[in-house]
Amino acid sequence: MNRYVLLISGKSATGKTASLRELDNPDGVVYINCEAGKELPFPSLFKQATVTDAVEVPAIIAEAENHDDVHTLVVDSLTYMMDLYEGLRVTHPSVKDARAAWGQYAQFFRNLMQQTVATSTKNIAFIGHTSSVYDDKELVTETRVKVKGSLMNQGIESYFNHVLSTKKMPVSVLENYQNDLLVITPQEEALGFKYVYQTMLTRDTVNERIRGPMGMWAPEETFIDNNLQLVIDRLHQYYS
């Protein structure tokens, strides 16, 4: 089982993709672009693969096992990957049996996670866009990565042991969470906010699906710099 798999979730413009910018040895990162070739928001040496069909993603992850120089893969984003699958293989006019196609849609994701990702030896990060969804059983509005069909009922987050959330947080709030992984720059002080990762739930975010292995983060590390390398380092430290 691959322990080094995580989901970076968050709303638009909260620093999800930008959090990749400090990955070590960037020429050993495979960036799998599912968002129509959208440019990265920073200069990069990543190996970039732009996919036009979701079924290319498991093939790219599997192929990485043949390359010792590759250490990390990023799928940006899980949300658009599933949109690609739906558009070409479920709702496309050429599809004759939509009911069967929706079943294959869910099975594609299960196979990706339970076979391809689970057997990989690489660090793998998925990026997911969150939405506010009303749960009519629990009578609450939850923040979750939204996809279609039965996967939505089960919850995409259930396939991950580690789910982070990107946030744009007031500096005044972050001052209560001082730790070595949270550095507030003079510019952020002047702006009054900072882009961060949230690593665990707080009283104000109980209806989000942030999770992590027990004891991986200290309470004061609830908010850390939005730097994926910090998380990968901690994962390897935790499981060593």
Side-chain angles (χ1 to χ4, degrees):
M1 183 185 75
N2 188 350
R3 293 170 166 174
Y4 309 112
V5 179
L6 57 99
L7 174 62
I8 304 167
S9 64
K11 295 182 178 179
S12 180
T14 55
K16 295 187 296 298
T17 304
S19 71
L20 312 176
R21 66 195 180 281
E22 295 185 44
L23 282 170
D24 291 344
N25 303 315
D27 53 347
V29 176
V30 176
Y31 176 74
I32 305 172
N33 188 332
C34 301
E35 301 198 352
K38 181 183 72 175
E39 291 290 332
L40 284 162
F42 53 88
S44 167
L45 296 176
F46 297 165
K47 295 177 174 67
Q48 298 201 37
T50 299
V51 302
T52 56
D53 188 332
V55 298
E56 298 169 26
V57 174
I60 294 169
I61 295 173
E63 174 60 25
E65 291 300 300
N66 298 320
H67 300 273
D68 292 339
D69 60 322
V70 172
H71 54 81
T72 299
L73 299 104
V74 178
V75 179
D76 191 0
S77 64
L78 183 158
T79 318
Y80 278 84
M81 176 184 72
M82 298 310 295
D83 282 350
L84 275 174
Y85 190 99
E86 178 192 350
L88 289 176
R89 300 172 181 275
V90 180
T91 58
H92 194 275
S94 64
V95 175
K96 304 302 182 185
D97 187 344
R99 183 173 181 178
W102 277 115
Q104 292 162 2
Y105 167 95
Q107 195 58 45
F108 161 75
F109 185 75
R110 294 190 192 102
N111 290 344
L112 170 65
M113 297 303 298
Q114 295 170 349
Q115 297 176 22
T116 310
V117 171
T119 58
S120 174
T121 61
K122 312 297 183 180
N123 306 311
I124 304 179
F126 286 81
I127 292 176
H129 301 287
T130 56
S131 301
S132 296
V133 179
Y134 183 70
D135 187 325
D136 54 7
K137 293 181 180 179
E138 300 294 332
L139 303 180
V140 296
T141 298
E142 288 192 325
T143 299
R144 62 175 81 166
V145 174
K146 188 177 180 180
V147 293
K148 301 285 184 66
S150 61
L151 289 174
M152 185 63 178
N153 297 329
Q154 185 173 2
I156 284 293
E157 293 87 353
S158 66
Y159 288 87
F160 297 87
N161 287 327
H162 199 186
V163 181
L164 301 162
S165 182
T166 53
K167 296 289 174 64
K168 180 181 176 181
M169 294 291 294
V171 168
S172 58
V173 173
L174 296 176
E175 288 172 348
N176 298 318
Y177 295 90
Q178 295 183 23
N179 66 83
D180 292 341
L181 303 183
L182 181 68
V183 179
I184 299 172
T185 67
Q187 182 182 16
E188 290 162 343
E189 286 275 11
L191 289 171
F193 69 86
K194 178 180 176 66
Y195 294 105
V196 296
Y197 280 151
Q198 184 172 344
T199 65
M200 62 182 74
L201 293 172
T202 64
R203 181 173 60 183
D204 297 327
T205 57
V206 292
N207 293 323
E208 298 190 22
R209 295 191 169 186
I210 300 165
R211 59 151 62 115
M214 291 183 64
M216 181 170 166
W217 303 104
E220 61 270 21
E221 295 172 332
T222 298
F223 298 101
I224 64 172
D225 287 357
N226 67 334
N227 179 347
L228 180 57
Q229 189 60 51
L230 297 178
V231 181
I232 290 174
D233 291 345
R234 181 60 64 88
L235 274 171
H236 283 267
Q237 177 186 345
Y238 182 83
Y239 287 115
S240 65

